Amino acid sequence: MKIGIVCYPTYGGSGVVATELGKALAKEGHQIHFITYSQPTRLDFFSENLYYHEVGIKSYPLFQYPPYELALASKMVDVTEHEKLDILHVHYAIPHASAAYMAREILKSKGINIPFITTLHGTDITLVGKDPSYEPVVTFSINQSDGVTAVSEDLKKDTLRLFDITQEIQVIPNFIDLSRFKKQKKEHFKKAICPNDEKLIVHTSNFRKVKRVEDVIKVFCEIRQVMPVKLLLVGDGPERIKMEQLGRETCECEDIRFLGKLEAVEEVLSVSDLFLMPSEKESFGLAALEAMACEVPVISSDAGGLPELNINGQSGYVCKVADTKDMTQKALHILKDENLNHFKEGALKRAKDFEVSNILPMYENMYKEVMSNMGKGILI
Ligand code: GMT
């Protein structure tokens, strides 16, 4: 199949899932055309089946807000016509689903029929999408999609609760490539960070308010009262400066390190003993899955789809949002030498359920179904 993938090309979870999906589909022999405003961060190698088309935005003094959605729709029309795409798959509803709707209708007027699938990732529904400034367009473009997927049962439930949805939503969870995300031998790195055999706690995120990074710091400082630990914070975002300040105020700042955005996050995960994800909203929790694949147990909140991923007592523990006392108790339990290996094994076992080879066929089947509903033949 020739598939056009539209996503945010940045470090966010939806862009990572879209890019990894495109890479995995290309390995299966599909031709993948990424249509984005800059090179997706995870699109870091050459393959004969991978193409990248940049959306250029013409600026004009009249435009206080450059019309990105129009430029994107025009690019989708152009790439579909010239590359003879079979299907478009857009990730994150805003503004990708409405741009895809526009592109599909323009192409129809030219005698080209192409279906589009919308994958809902989380904040496009739970935070931004439900805002009255976007809601009518989000509802319309979800209902106009030829196929809709959500990354967890919880996100599907929220979508049906918050919007007037007439379209079927299929749950297809996030996935992981276990050949990349696996525990690597990095003892020298562990020794450098934890010279006195301290346990290593890690958090990775985009440092937005919904991630509740302040709870990561609170829990870490509580654990540190009881046992020697270090904390690594990976990623960057609007809350980072505030969190650096909080770290200094709350406990020894030399035990907390902010690493910024990292390409090879699996190297840090490989030496970590515990991953903290206390989010207020989290439709799936891809970062936690990446940690689990590297044999790192997870303490998460019970927000969104996290209880569907993190199995209480097996891959870690699930606590109520903001219950930092419970998170601390559970963390101390996991970090005991006699318990740690049990949870590390449990984390890996759970991650294996989301191996890319289990999830990829779900998307491929959906493409086939949507195309045959439109009367299009299947080409591979
Ligand atoms: O806030 C983020 O983590 C980024 C955000 C995105 O849309 O780029 O991630 C969402 O999509 C990921 C991939 O499907 C999910 O694993 C994350 O849980 C989800 N984030 C939230 O719901 C807050």
Side-chain angles (χ1 to χ4, degrees):
M1 274 181 253
K2 290 186 172 185
I3 305 161
I5 293 185
V6 174
C7 64
Y8 283 103
T10 48
Y11 274 89
S14 62
V16 169
V17 168
T19 314
E20 294 297 343
L21 174 63
K23 283 156 69 173
L25 287 164
K27 261 196 211 159
E28 291 298 307
H30 300 286
Q31 200 181 88
I32 305 302
H33 293 262
F34 287 99
I35 305 169
T36 58
Y37 61 75
S38 67
Q39 177 100 5
T41 41
R42 286 263 179 112
L43 191 62
D44 47 6
F45 69 100
F46 170 76
S47 148
E48 58 173 330
N49 287 334
L50 289 173
Y51 296 74
Y52 163 59
H53 308 270
E54 190 163 302
V55 182
I57 309 173
K58 188 120 188 110
S59 166
Y60 187 67
L62 197 60
F63 299 154
Q64 189 179 351
Y65 306 105
Y68 174 66
E69 195 177 344
L70 301 189
L72 175 61
S74 297
K75 195 71 185 177
M76 280 194 248
V77 169
D78 174 72
V79 176
T80 303
E81 266 188 302
H82 292 100
E83 302 290 348
K84 312 238 171 317
L85 299 187
D86 296 305
I87 190 163
L88 289 163
H89 185 176
V90 303
H91 292 259
Y92 206 89
I94 305 172
H96 302 152
S98 43
Y101 166 74
M102 215 187 309
R104 185 188 65 191
E105 296 306 303
I106 294 168
L107 286 159
K108 206 186 279 172
S109 74
K110 292 169 175 257
I112 300 168
N113 284 325
I114 183 161
F116 77 91
I117 289 180
T118 300
T119 289
L120 309 173
H121 280 273
T123 48
D124 46 351
I125 293 299
T126 56
L127 207 67
V128 204
K130 67 175 187 184
D131 189 274
S133 52
Y134 296 117
E135 183 279 323
V137 176
V138 173
T139 305
F140 178 79
S141 47
I142 291 175
N143 286 334
Q144 287 293 326
S145 305
D146 299 286
V148 183
T149 79
V151 298
S152 63
E153 290 293 342
D154 188 81
L155 183 60
K156 175 178 174 175
K157 213 172 72 208
D158 269 350
T159 310
L160 296 174
R161 183 173 56 83
L162 296 165
F163 300 84
D164 190 7
I165 298 298
T166 53
Q167 179 63 280
E168 174 94 21
I169 300 177
Q170 190 183 330
V171 173
I172 304 185
N174 287 178
F175 54 84
I176 191 90
D177 177 358
L178 290 171
S179 66
R180 171 177 169 186
F181 282 89
K182 61 181 176 199
K183 194 174 177 68
Q184 304 172 3
K185 286 199 179 309
K186 294 276 167 198
E187 275 79 16
H188 56 289
F189 180 44
K190 176 81 178 244
K191 198 81 203 145
I193 308 253
C194 303
N196 303 309
D197 272 346
E198 297 92 339
K199 295 283 191 287
L200 186 58
I201 299 177
V202 68
H203 168 80
T204 74
S205 77
N206 52 17
F207 286 69
R208 295 190 192 277
K209 268 199 177 343
V210 286
K211 302 293 174 182
R212 293 191 65 90
V213 185
E214 67 274 22
D215 287 355
V216 172
I217 291 171
K218 270 187 220 157
V219 170
F220 170 76
C221 295
E222 292 283 323
I223 298 170
R224 203 178 149 277
Q225 312 264 342
V226 182
M227 65 191 297
V229 271
K230 299 270 185 181
L231 174 64
L232 293 182
L233 291 141
V234 182
D236 204 354
E239 292 289 291
R240 177 173 163 176
I241 307 260
K242 230 198 275 172
M243 291 307 120
E244 283 189 27
Q245 192 57 36
L246 183 69
R248 281 189 202 127
E249 284 163 14
T250 321
C251 61
E252 289 292 318
C253 55
E254 70 260 25
D255 289 338
I256 304 179
R257 276 205 204 183
F258 288 80
L259 300 183
K261 287 178 186 166
L262 276 187
E263 273 313 318
V265 68
E266 63 275 22
E267 292 183 2
V268 172
L269 294 171
S270 288
V271 295
S272 301
D273 298 297
L274 182 67
F275 186 89
L276 296 179
M277 184 174 257
S279 311
E280 184 184 321
K281 291 185 193 298
E282 200 67 65
S283 64
F284 181 87
L286 180 62
L289 175 58
E290 291 178 344
M292 284 153 67
C294 296
E295 299 177 37
V296 186
V298 171
I299 300 269
S300 73
S301 70
D302 60 354
L306 284 171
E308 294 170 46
L309 167 69
N310 187 16
I311 307 297
N312 224 6
Q314 180 194 312
S315 52
Y317 283 106
V318 178
C319 307
K320 294 240 159 304
V321 173
D323 191 346
T324 52
K325 286 236 159 347
D326 191 34
M327 290 177 194
T328 305
Q329 288 314 313
K330 299 284 168 41
L332 287 167
H333 176 76
I334 290 178
L335 290 173
K336 276 189 188 152
D337 284 330
E338 62 269 34
N339 296 336
L340 195 52
N341 279 340
H342 161 78
F343 283 99
K344 286 188 172 185
E345 283 163 19
L348 178 60
K349 183 166 179 283
R350 183 61 180 147
K352 284 182 178 169
D353 294 337
F354 299 93
E355 160 68 14
V356 60
S357 58
N358 295 332
I359 310 299
L360 198 67
M362 296 186 193
Y363 280 116
E364 286 178 298
N365 289 338
M366 189 163 197
Y367 295 159
K368 285 179 199 158
E369 196 187 310
V370 160
M371 282 171 63
S372 78
N373 286 348
M374 208 177 230
K376 282 175 82 91
I378 308 298
L379 298 166
I380 177 144

